[in-house]
Structure formats: structure tokens, C-alpha cells
Amino acid sequence: MDAAIIKYNAGNVFSVECALRRIGAEAIVTDDPEVITRAPRVIFPGVGEASSAMAHLREHHLDSVIKSLQCPVLGICIGMQLLCKHSQEGDTDCIGIFDLPVLRFDNSDTPELKIPQMGWNTISVTPGSFVPAECDKRFAYFVHSYYVPLNMHTSAVTDYIIPYSAALQKDNFYATQFHPEKSGDTGETILKKFMEL
Amino acid sequence: MLAKRIIPCLDVKDGMTVKGVNFLNLRSAGDPVELGRRYSEEGADELVYLDITASYEGRKTFVDIVRRVAQAINIPFTVGGGIGSVYDVDTLLGNGADKVSVNSAALKRPGLIDEIARHFGNQVCVVAIDARFTDGKWVCYLKGGRERTDRTLQEWAHEAQERGAGEILFTSMDHDGTRNGYACDALADLHDRLQIPVIASGGCGCAAHIADAFKLGKADAALAAGIFHFGDTDIPSLKQYLRTQGLPVRL
């Protein structure tokens, strides 16, 4: 087993499992704290709403399990947002690996830019990022209404309404706001890189 | 910059794609999974699979296809056709679909949209609307256009948005199959009324029609079937063309 994918009430873990299989990695989908803790890598995916996802994680004690992980961890979309400190979505206290807020897009000055952002947008990779430099200026697939502002942990930037974090990294924690499992060849390049960390 | 999306649509009946498919290099042109893989590799931004099977056995086949598509392609895909309950949605998402498209069942029971949005999030719920310009207004139709309703396109699209739709897929029945271009005026009007993305559908005959749907119709995405299936254009040349028209596309 190359990675554990955390199973919870937010989203489509099957897509992540399929994406890993396409790059030749074996993943196990689980909510068993023991399996997660022993895994060489952990992926924390997600599609959904922050407060109900957090409530589910707390109920199953997965929040503390995630916080204590020493192996490389990849948060995806809502998974990335839940690794932050607080989300405006449902006024939710999150896991807090990244001491950052998650804010709702405000399009009052640009009503033609719709919320959620849905579709393919370009990313700019920052120096030292886990996102391979070859992915710079390439497109990734985003679906979200909330965002993480630019900060010292930002490892890729994108722009929709304002520039914000497309990816984050700190110690053994990595995260993408976009869905690498749905981002074509660019996404597969990023997943392969994560599996080599 | 957010790219304008190009979405090939595949109609699936009893496990096979329908509408004569004319790819010379495709070993099994009728296999929806192979065709989806081909479009994905060519640069499609999303795919839509519509199940037009009526039988129960055919439905089970479709779920199996959804699972194989999820395994084969690395871009998002939407599935639709006959979805009437949260249970149907759960089955399709569980087998790897990213979004579902609801049509007749939502018109008959609008609460279905609220249920899907509440269980799975707004981004999962695409509301497909078939409408025809009748007696001076855009009227919604049920069952693939066979049954007229008393709802207008604008009013129903707005209600769908308020109930939690993530996108509106608008097909003009007047334009569908004509290959004379999309209903750009109605699309632009929808864009201005709604806060959620609008997907243009019906009438595409050439690349210029797609450019019009984006420029004149202000659409966020364009869906087409025939021009891709029959090989009139391929996705890379279409996107090159759109780029020369100043439109943001993923290349």
C-alpha cells in the first residue's frame, strides 16, 4: 500500500483512488485511525461543506489523527480548507495545521465572475513548491466558493476575483485547492510528485 | 484566467454510444468509455454522459459504464438521464461521476434539487432545461421535448438556482439538431439573470458557433455532440480557433 485515502462524509474518494491507480500507486480507502497512522502517505480529499465535514471528522476522532501525522499528507479542495484554522463556511473551526483563514469569494465588484468558480484556471508555481515547476502556467480544475488568501505557506497562486492560494505547504503537510485527480496530465504530474515525497 | 469549457456530450443506449460516430482511428467507436478517453486526451474540459436507455437492465449497464469512465479518464464528467432521487445520485457519484444532471424529474418535483444540493453540495447538481420559443416566450418541456409545461425558461432557471443548482444546462429545442448555431440571445439573457454558470447546448454546427455562444451568449461552457462525433472538427483545432478569437481556453 502506497497511500491511505481518508474516507469521510465529504466527497468522492473513488476518483482519487482511480487517479492513483492510473499513476501506478496502490491506495486504500479507510477511516481506521490505526491504518491511517501507519500509512506511508495520506491523502485527505473532499468535496462538500466545511461544518458538516468537520463535525464528522471530530465524531470519528479523525481530526486529531490527521493533526498528529508525520508522513506526507495531501489535502485536496475542502481537505485543504479543513487543514486551515477557520472557515467562513458555516463559521467552522478547522484542524489548524495552517494558521490561516478560509474566506468566501466576494464578487460584488465583478458580478460577471460567478460563484462557485467552476472550471479550469492557470496556476503559478512559487519557488521551492512541491508542485513541479513544469506545471507553472498550466491549467488545473477548480470547484469552490471559498478560498485561502496568499500567505507565507502559499506554494502555487491562481487568480479568480483576486489572487489567492492554489496550493499550500508546511513541513509534511501539502495541499491543493484544485483537484489534481481531475486535472488531466498536470494533475497526474502533481500526484506523482507527491507519491515520491 | 478561468477558461471557457468545451464539453462533448455522449448519448448512451444499452451500453453503446448512439448518433453515428465516425472516428477512423478508433477501434471501438461505439464504446462510450473509449470515446470519452479519446475526447479527454484531445483536450475536452469535461464530458457529459446521458443515459437514454429506458429499461431497468440498461440502467445497470449505465452504472457500470460510469464506473469504467471514472477509472479511464482524468477530467470531470457529468451523468444524466432518468435521475429521480437522491438514491440515484448517490449510486452515480459513488461510482465516480463528478456531477449529475437532472431534468424532467426536477421540473415535476423541484424539491429534488434542494435534496441533491443538501446531500452532496451545489456543485454536484446541474439542472438541464429543454425549452422552445413558443407564443412569444421560452417554454420548458418535459421528457425530451414531448410534453409542454407552463414554466418559462427564465423563471425555472432562477428557481433552480435558488434551490441549489450549481449550473444550468440550457438546450434550445428550436436550435437542437439544426447545426445553425446556439440560441445566443436567450443564453445572454440567462447569464445576466443568474449567478451560476450557464452551459450552452443545441445547434452547434461549426467552431464559429461555439465562439458566438461565448461572445454573444456569454456562456461559461459549450456542449456539443455531432460536430465531434462526426469528425467535423477536433478539439485541438477548435481550441486554437477560439484562442485566435481572443477567448480563454485550456490548450
Side-chain angles (χ1 to χ4, degrees):
Chain A
M1 187 256 284
D2 304 309
I5 301 170
I6 297 179
K7 178 179 160 186
Y8 66 122
N9 66 335
N12 189 354
V13 292
F14 183 60
S15 297
V16 179
E17 196 185 351
C18 291
L20 289 178
R21 205 171 295 148
R22 282 194 296 270
I23 62 165
E26 270 307 313
I28 180 167
V29 176
T30 180
D31 57 0
D32 181 342
E34 211 165 291
V35 177
I36 295 168
T37 307
R38 280 190 281 111
R41 278 173 208 81
V42 171
I43 296 183
F44 180 34
V47 176
E49 194 274 326
S51 64
S52 57
M54 247 349 268
H56 181 95
L57 291 170
R58 286 211 179 86
E59 194 186 317
H60 293 78
H61 308 292
L62 289 170
D63 55 332
S64 51
V65 171
I66 292 167
K67 205 166 183 172
S68 68
L69 289 171
Q70 306 289 318
C71 68
V73 178
L74 177 65
I76 296 174
C77 195
I78 191 89
M80 162 166 146
Q81 299 185 353
L82 297 180
L83 290 176
C84 294
K85 184 88 177 162
H86 181 270
S87 174
Q88 281 187 343
E89 188 176 21
D91 189 17
T92 306
D93 286 325
C94 303
I95 296 171
I97 299 292
F98 298 101
D99 189 12
L100 301 168
V102 181
L103 309 176
R104 188 173 163 85
F105 279 130
D106 176 4
N107 68 347
S108 46
D109 293 333
T110 51
E112 72 282 6
L113 295 177
K114 294 170 176 179
I115 300 171
Q117 170 175 228
M118 184 167 309
W120 297 80
N121 205 334
T122 46
I123 57 172
S124 301
V125 178
T126 60
S129 175
F130 76 100
V131 179
E134 64 186 282
C135 298
D136 191 48
K137 305 291 180 281
R138 299 226 313 235
F139 282 90
Y141 185 74
F142 292 82
V143 182
H144 61 125
S145 303
Y146 294 78
Y147 71 98
V148 178
L150 297 180
N151 65 84
M152 63 185 290
H153 303 299
T154 299
S155 52
V157 179
T158 189
D159 193 330
Y160 188 73
I161 302 173
I162 56 158
Y164 64 92
S165 300
L168 299 173
Q169 69 189 76
K170 179 191 173 192
D171 305 326
N172 58 319
F173 287 90
Y174 305 85
T176 61
Q177 179 60 64
F178 52 89
H179 288 274
E181 77 279 16
K182 289 286 167 184
S183 292
D185 296 343
T186 301
E188 288 186 355
T189 303
I190 295 166
L191 286 175
K192 270 184 200 155
K193 175 68 187 294
F194 173 74
M195 296 306 292
E196 290 162 3
L197 287 170
Chain B
M1 192 174 191
L2 186 65
K4 297 288 188 185
R5 285 172 283 154
I6 302 298
I7 310 178
C9 179
L10 294 85
D11 288 351
V12 178
K13 187 174 187 187
D14 299 322
M16 300 293 278
T17 39
V18 295
K19 289 191 179 175
V21 176
N22 195 18
F23 274 137
L24 292 174
N25 303 328
L26 209 61
R27 266 173 299 156
S28 174
D31 179 2
V33 181
E34 279 305 308
L35 193 53
R37 194 202 309 266
R38 160 92 178 230
Y39 287 140
S40 167
E41 286 168 359
E42 280 190 345
D45 298 304
E46 282 182 41
L47 300 175
V48 169
Y49 283 90
L50 285 182
D51 181 16
I52 57 168
T53 314
S55 70
Y56 174 72
E57 284 303 313
R59 292 232 161 265
K60 284 198 293 190
T61 309
F62 187 68
V63 171
D64 180 54
I65 287 167
V66 169
R67 195 170 182 83
R68 287 171 50 217
V69 170
Q71 289 163 344
I73 70 169
N74 56 16
I75 59 169
F77 69 104
T78 301
V79 298
I83 294 170
S85 70
V86 165
Y87 175 79
D88 294 339
V89 178
D90 194 40
T91 303
L92 294 164
L93 297 181
N95 282 285
D98 296 285
K99 310 180 206 177
V100 295
S101 152
V102 293
N103 192 335
S104 298
L107 255 176
K108 285 187 205 151
R109 190 173 69 82
L112 177 62
I113 299 169
D114 305 65
E115 291 168 19
I116 295 171
R118 194 168 59 242
H119 275 86
F120 309 104
N122 297 26
Q123 78 287 342
V124 155
C125 186
V126 179
V127 174
I129 305 177
D130 298 332
R132 172 177 283 155
F133 197 71
T134 315
D135 305 331
K137 57 190 181 194
W138 283 95
V139 177
C140 300
Y141 280 73
L142 285 168
K143 297 179 184 165
R146 290 194 299 275
E147 190 179 322
R148 183 178 168 164
T149 72
D150 56 2
R151 307 295 303 264
T152 66
L153 164 68
Q154 292 82 2
E155 170 221 350
W156 171 231
H158 190 266
E159 180 179 337
Q161 167 183 285
E162 297 309 302
R163 288 180 177 275
E167 290 177 283
I168 299 293
L169 166 55
F170 161 48
T171 303
S172 162
M173 293 164 51
D174 295 319
H175 297 71
D176 200 24
T178 65
R179 299 172 72 85
N180 285 330
Y182 294 93
C184 291
D185 292 346
L187 281 166
D189 178 55
L190 265 191
H191 167 93
D192 293 343
R193 289 167 185 265
L194 299 177
Q195 278 91 52
I196 54 176
V198 177
I199 305 167
S201 164
C204 184
C206 63
H209 293 153
I210 292 184
D212 286 344
F214 293 145
K215 285 183 174 175
L216 307 175
K218 304 183 193 174
D220 298 276
L223 179 140
I227 67 157
F228 300 129
H229 298 337
F230 296 114
D232 299 309
T233 186
D234 58 60
I235 294 165
S237 13
L238 167 64
K239 286 192 166 181
Q240 288 290 354
Y241 166 76
L242 294 173
R243 178 171 278 185
T244 66
Q245 296 296 303
L247 291 160
V249 285
R250 178 177 71 109
L251 271 171

